[in-house]
Each structure stands twice: as C-alpha cells, then as structure tokens.
Amino acid sequence: MKMTGIGWLNLIANLAGAAGMIYLLPLGIDYELRILLFYGIVQLMVGRYRNNVLLIWDEVRLIIISHCWFFVGVLLFFKIRSFSIVLWLIVLTITTALISTVFARYSRIWLRNTFKKNVLVIGIGHTAEKLWNVCRGNRFSLMDVRGFISCNGTKRLPTIYQQEEVVKEHVYSFDNIEEVIKRENIQSMIIAIPQIQKRDLKMIMDMIRDKVKEIKVLPSFENLVTFDSRVDDFDGLLMISTAQTEINLWVRIGKRILDICGGIAGCLVLFPLYFYVRRKNHQSGDYDPVFFKQKRIGKNGKEFTIYKFRTMVPNAEQILDELMEKDPAIKEEYTKNKKLKNDPRITKAGNFLRKTSLDEFPQFINVLKGDMSLIGPRPYLPREKEDMGIYYDIIIKMKPGLTGMWQTHGRSDVDFEDRLALDEYYYRNYNLWLDVTLLVKTVRTMLGGSHAGAM
C-alpha cells in the first residue's frame, strides 16, 4: 500500500488522538501502548491512508470498518473483563472514529494547496464535462483539473472527434500537450474518451507515459460492470467478471430496519408540519385536503397509494389535460420530462413545499407501511409504464424510494431517460452503504442547495 504525504499526516494525527484517548483508560502504560499499536495496525490493514481513496464516503466507510474491528479485536485479544472498561472502550472507539473523520475531511481543505494533484484531462466531451463537475465539488480527492486536451483536428488522432462540452478557456490542442504538462506541472492525467479505439489509446499512453506520475482511463463499461464486478489476472489477461446484484436476506433486514427508524423519525417531523401546511393553506383561502393521494408503481409492478402534501390546485390532472390540448409546447415538454418547469397548477404554499422538498414528507407513512423505502428508484406513475421501456422490469425489482439517485444527481435538471438510467444504476450497484451515502447527500441537498452533496 502506497501512502501519500497527507496519508502519513492523517496517520500521525489519528495515532496522537488515539493515544490521548487510550491514556484515559485505567489499564496501565503497558496495556495502553499495546492497544495503541494494535489501533495503528488495524487502520493500516483495513486500507486507511492509501492514496486511491477519492471520496469522503469511501473514507468514512473505512473508518467505520476499522474502528469496529479495533473494538472487537481489543475485546478478544486484550482480556478486558471489567464492564466499566468496556464502556470506556466504546467511548474511545466512537470518539477516535469521529476525530479521524473530521481530520481526514478538513486536512484536505486546510492543506489542499500543498498536497493537491494537478490533473490534465484528455477529452472535451460529455464524460470530460461530467468529470470536471465531480472534481469541482469533490475537494476530498485533491484533484485539481488544470485543463482539457482536445483531440479534434490533430493528424495523430484522425478518428477522434468530440462535441465540445467543457469550459472553453481551459481547452488546449493535443499537439501542445507536452507544453501544457510542463507549464501546469501536471502530475496526473485522465483519458476521458470512453469510445476511444485501442490503437489511439496506445499511442496516447506511449506518448505521455514518462511525462506524468499517474495515468487514469475512464473506460466504456457503462451498464456492463457494477461494483459487484471482480477484476482477475487470468495468466496475464485482464478478465472482468460481472455480477448480477442479489439482495440477500440480511441486507433486506438491514434495509428494512433503516426504513423503520427513518420512517419513525420522519413521521415525528410530519405531525407538526401537517398543521403548519394546513394553516398556510387556510390563510390562502385553500380549504381542500392537505394530503394528495395518487397511484404509483410499487415493487413487482404492484400499484400502491402514495401520500404527498398537495402542492397543486384541485383537479390538477384535468387541468393538465386541458393545457396540453391547448398548447403543443406544454404537451411536448410534459411528454419528454413528465413534468413542467413552470407549472401553472402549483399553489403559492406548494411552491415553497417543492423548493424545500417538504412536500415529500407524507411519504414517510408509505415507508412505515412497507410500500416504499427511504432510498430507492423513483415511484413512477402507472401511465409512465410504457415510457419506461426496458428499464421497467429492472426498476420494479426494488421498492420505490422517498429519495434516490436522481434526487442527489441533478433532481430538476435530470430528464426522464436519465432518471431511468440512474434508477437502473442504483439497482445494479445496490448495497447498504450506498443507501447511507444517498441519505446523507439528500439531507445536505435539502439544507444547502443542489450542489450541497459535493464533498
């Protein structure tokens, strides 16, 4: 395992923090030093401080795993018998985990200019633009994109042409790549042309191999490779084994426990919120029901009744049909996105509820009932079944979610086709940690805007 400078810094800081906490354990200096040494070994064995942790979520997952193993290991190997010492150990484990998380996060902010990598991206298309947005919002990875290399028009790569999607003032010609590497002091390069031919990829790799410390490639494996896939060395051949996601019994139990806990917490907030919304509606002269009920597609295609705060005028469906009949532009927009950007049916109170996502809170009732999950695919309307196409059979394998991939990856900016693709991605890459990550990102998005999920 190769450690970076910031990895060593985190290791030293975490050991210092752990030493301070372990010193409070009434065990004697000999026991305390052995426990501290064991703490450091566990952190390293689990993979903390390695140089390929790119997201804060990966780091938090490693922190949780390493500290759980530390707690279990101390109980098993250090012959702790006293109940009071066990309580101290619990406090120690939780505290050191929190210290590790905070320091890992903020050390990358405070020391970003010292430890960041200057990155040059080869590609100017959609993939490069998406990578740029991720790097801008993800300071944890310490990747500072200094520019993009356009392969358009160069004689050395005549088969490559991309529509320019990135920031134009940071685009350089492939013919000037060596000059850009030197001027920007590039340490890492990312080839972001998924459809690149093998011959062109080899030519680029041979050209830049000795000029930068690290080269990464974004391959074209979309919908073929999942996080359950395995990479094997088959006697010199790179073999990727794909895996069909299967949610086992224990994962289903864990997901349901998470749903019940979240559902109870959500309903506690829903109760006073209901009376607040009703009061606001009455002040506007609106005395219709506060809740809106609608049929949605559930797991295995079974329909269920979803609950939401009513944000539209009564008879909204009938009004929509009339609007689409009168205005072809409205019909085209709704047919494409299944929603209207400036929907005239939304009430004044409903506009506030939608902007804050508070209109979704009654769905915690659906979560407790078991119709929905906290995290899952979008709950689609029955009339959207035909438009879902090949995605339908995949998406209905899971309960629809109160939040999910599309809410944390663009929300209003994501069209219908992309929502379906994100929901398929969620199914194929599902694990409980993904649920926790999306739940935290949803809360951050609600509190801080559309890019609040970036870390």
Side-chain angles (χ1 to χ4, degrees):
M1 179 192 70
K2 184 179 178 181
M3 287 177 59
T4 59
I6 204 164
W8 283 107
L9 182 66
N10 280 324
L11 174 61
I12 293 170
N14 291 339
L15 285 176
M21 292 299 300
I22 292 172
Y23 180 74
L24 299 175
L25 288 173
L27 294 173
I29 189 66
D30 180 52
Y31 248 53
E32 291 165 2
L33 288 175
R34 287 161 60 190
I35 291 176
L36 180 63
L37 177 62
F38 180 71
Y39 176 84
I41 291 173
V42 170
Q43 301 301 302
L44 291 171
M45 288 181 65
V46 169
R48 296 280 319 281
Y49 320 116
R50 57 199 173 119
N51 66 347
N52 60 336
V53 177
L54 299 180
L55 297 172
I56 184 64
W57 314 111
D58 298 327
E59 185 73 11
V60 171
R61 180 174 58 85
L62 290 175
I63 288 171
I64 292 174
I65 292 172
S66 63
H67 283 78
C68 286
W69 278 116
F70 166 72
F71 176 77
V72 173
V74 171
L75 289 180
L76 290 176
F77 302 126
F78 288 84
K79 299 179 180 179
I80 303 260
R81 297 286 186 266
S82 170
F83 180 71
S84 62
I85 300 298
V86 173
L87 291 178
W88 267 106
L89 184 60
I90 292 173
V91 174
L92 164 69
T93 304
I94 294 174
T95 305
T96 51
L98 291 174
I99 291 173
S100 295
T101 303
V102 171
F103 194 83
R105 175 74 175 96
Y106 286 99
S107 63
R108 284 165 169 79
I109 296 176
W110 298 329
L111 304 171
R112 178 175 176 78
N113 290 334
T114 302
F115 293 107
K116 70 179 181 180
K117 295 179 182 177
N118 289 339
V119 177
L120 190 62
V121 177
I122 298 181
I124 58 172
H126 176 70
T127 301
E129 190 264 343
K130 191 173 181 180
L131 175 65
W132 162 245
N133 287 331
V134 172
C135 289
R136 278 193 305 168
N138 174 30
R139 292 173 293 179
F140 190 86
S141 68
L142 298 174
M143 296 172 68
D144 185 11
V145 177
R146 307 296 296 177
F148 303 87
I149 296 297
S150 172
C151 299
N152 296 349
T154 177
K155 294 180 180 179
R156 286 182 279 188
L157 299 166
T159 61
I160 297 178
Y161 178 81
Q162 291 184 295
Q163 185 72 32
E164 191 169 318
E165 302 284 349
V166 296
V167 184
K168 293 184 178 181
E169 56 262 32
H170 295 295
V171 175
Y172 308 98
S173 170
F174 183 83
D175 295 325
N176 299 325
I177 189 170
E178 294 183 34
E179 176 189 337
V180 177
I181 290 174
K182 291 179 182 178
R183 186 176 72 244
E184 300 293 339
N185 188 27
I186 300 300
Q187 290 100 35
S188 179
M189 294 198 69
I190 302 177
I191 301 174
I193 310 176
Q195 305 301 331
I196 191 170
Q197 295 182 14
K198 181 179 179 181
R199 179 189 60 189
D200 294 333
L201 178 61
K202 184 178 184 304
M203 195 281 286
I204 295 175
M205 295 285 284
D206 290 342
M207 182 177 177
I208 64 177
R209 194 185 308 276
D210 299 327
K211 296 178 174 60
V212 293
K213 295 180 180 179
E214 180 183 57
I215 302 173
K216 298 178 184 290
V217 180
L218 296 179
S220 179
F221 286 131
E222 194 170 352
N223 297 328
L224 297 178
V225 177
T226 71
F227 291 128
D228 286 330
S229 300
R230 187 180 69 253
V231 179
D232 297 316
D233 178 1
F234 190 60
D235 197 17
L237 296 174
L238 179 66
M239 180 180 291
I240 299 177
S241 305
T242 63
Q244 179 65 45
T245 300
E246 291 185 5
I247 304 176
N248 61 45
L249 176 62
W250 295 110
V251 174
R252 288 201 300 270
I253 292 174
K255 186 173 177 64
R256 185 56 186 154
I257 291 174
L258 183 65
D259 287 344
I260 292 173
C261 293
I264 292 172
C267 285
L268 290 176
V269 178
L270 173 63
F271 184 71
L273 188 60
Y274 168 84
F275 290 101
Y276 171 79
V277 172
R278 190 178 72 165
R279 178 170 164 269
K280 284 291 183 182
N281 285 350
H282 288 180
Q283 287 177 349
S284 301
D286 184 350
Y287 292 91
D288 284 291
V290 175
F291 284 165
F292 169 72
K293 301 178 183 179
Q294 191 179 50
K295 290 293 182 181
R296 296 293 179 104
I297 300 174
K299 187 177 180 181
N300 299 323
K302 183 180 178 181
E303 293 186 8
F304 70 98
T305 301
I306 196 172
Y307 302 100
K308 298 178 72 173
F309 279 123
R310 183 175 54 81
T311 59
M312 292 186 176
V313 296
N315 302 320
E317 294 294 317
Q318 181 181 341
I319 294 173
L320 175 62
D321 292 336
E322 294 173 358
L323 288 171
M324 290 194 295
E325 186 177 343
K326 294 177 181 177
D327 192 336
I330 289 179
K331 183 176 182 179
E332 182 181 355
E333 181 184 353
Y334 188 82
T335 301
K336 180 182 178 181
N337 299 322
K338 307 305 176 188
K339 60 183 179 180
L340 300 176
K341 188 173 183 180
N342 298 308
D343 200 324
R345 301 171 297 162
I346 299 176
T347 64
K348 186 176 181 180
N351 189 49
F352 166 75
L353 289 169
R354 289 193 170 205
K355 282 184 177 179
T356 56
S357 296
L358 294 176
D359 61 314
E360 312 285 352
F361 261 67
Q363 292 174 36
F364 281 110
I365 299 173
N366 292 113
V367 172
L368 279 180
K369 289 175 61 180
D371 296 327
M372 295 177 64
S373 180
L374 284 177
I375 312 293
R378 177 176 176 265
Y380 291 89
L381 292 163
R383 66 166 177 265
E384 295 174 335
K385 178 178 177 180
E386 185 177 342
D387 296 326
M388 293 171 71
I390 60 174
Y391 293 102
Y392 175 79
D393 290 332
I394 295 172
I395 289 174
I396 64 170
K397 290 181 180 180
M398 302 190 77
K399 291 179 183 178
L402 193 153
T403 185
M405 290 291 297
W406 75 279
Q407 290 94 331
T408 57
H409 290 75
R411 195 173 175 83
S412 297
D413 298 328
V414 180
D415 62 26
F416 187 72
E417 186 71 21
D418 288 335
R419 285 181 229 164
L420 292 168
L422 286 170
D423 286 337
E424 182 196 30
Y425 174 94
Y426 174 79
Y427 168 73
R428 294 192 182 279
N429 296 279
Y430 176 75
N431 58 66
L432 278 176
W433 183 250
L434 178 59
D435 270 7
V436 174
T437 300
L438 293 176
L439 194 58
V440 173
K441 292 185 76 171
T442 299
V443 173
R444 288 177 59 86
T445 300
M446 290 176 62
L447 296 177
S450 60
H451 296 290
M455 296 294 288

